[in-house]
Amino acid sequence: MHIRSETPADVDAIHDLTTTAFTPMPYSEGTEAEIIRRLRLSGDLTISLVAEEAGEILGHVAYSAVTIDGVHDGWFGLGPISVKPERQRRGIGRALIARGLELLREMGASGCALIGNPDVYGGAGFSSDGQLTYHDLETRLVQRIVFRGPAPSGMLRFAPAFEN
Ligand SMILES: CC(C)(COP(=O)(O)OP(=O)(O)OC[C@H]1O[C@@H](n2cnc3c(N)ncnc32)[C@H](O)[C@@H]1OP(=O)(O)O)[C@@H](O)C(=O)NCCC(=O)NCCS
């Protein structure tokens, strides 16, 4: 399995994988594949990585710029992320996250934020101190990893592609 940036030939496989991975999830709004397509179209898909094995796309992660209290200060958001259901819990998600964070650091990013289960992202270094918020969501689900500068405080907002 290796991690690489998406190419135009991966677009349909990423769409199908994202739909398949999110469909059983109770928290899914069924819009994740469409969000990736919109991010790509609007030029907001800063990083899009696939995990490939023998020509098959087994996982995908997207990163895009975010704002905190309306300001983009080098912060990015992780997601959507998906791994083929039969191949979950074997380190593919972890590898996609690690490579994406490495690329963000190389770009000089300040940090990365996400909405998700702390059990999934804590091992990669994400945590919450309650200061980063997302509407009225419980703040333990609003996690971040700081690369440089102060820990963020305020309302996290994703790219327009995330808004219905
Ligand atoms: C979330 C997802 C991308 C994780 O990918 P994965 O390849 O299964 O994850 P990994 O095997 O690399 O595990 C990464 C970490 O998450 C944890 N984890 C994975 N699935 C988990 C689950 N269902 N519940 C709790 N922890 C989980 C692992 O224990 C691991 O923790 P560690 O790094 O501290 O050891 C994958 O499960 C998926 O596609 N889910 C459906 C789509 C989705 O929900 N996306 C995320 C929305 S927030």
Side-chain angles (χ1 to χ4, degrees), residues 21-22 27 81-83 88-94 120-121 123:
F22 274 94
Y27 46 77
I81 179 169
S82 49
V83 170
Q88 289 175 5
R89 306 213 72 158
R90 291 178 204 175
I92 295 175
R94 191 182 309 128
V120 174
Y121 304 99

Side-chain angles (χ1 to χ4, degrees), residues 1-2 4 13 51-59 84 86-87:
M1 197 248 331
H2 87 285
R4 60 167 176 80
E52 181 189 44
E53 186 183 86
E56 187 186 4
I57 303 298
L58 300 178
K84 191 174 173 181
E86 309 89 273
R87 302 294 293 268

Side-chain angles (χ1 to χ4, degrees), residues 45-67:
L45 189 53
T46 310
I47 295 173
S48 178
L49 299 175
V50 295
E52 181 189 44
E53 186 183 86
E56 187 186 4
I57 303 298
L58 300 178
H60 173 261
V61 64
Y63 292 83
S64 54
V66 297
T67 61

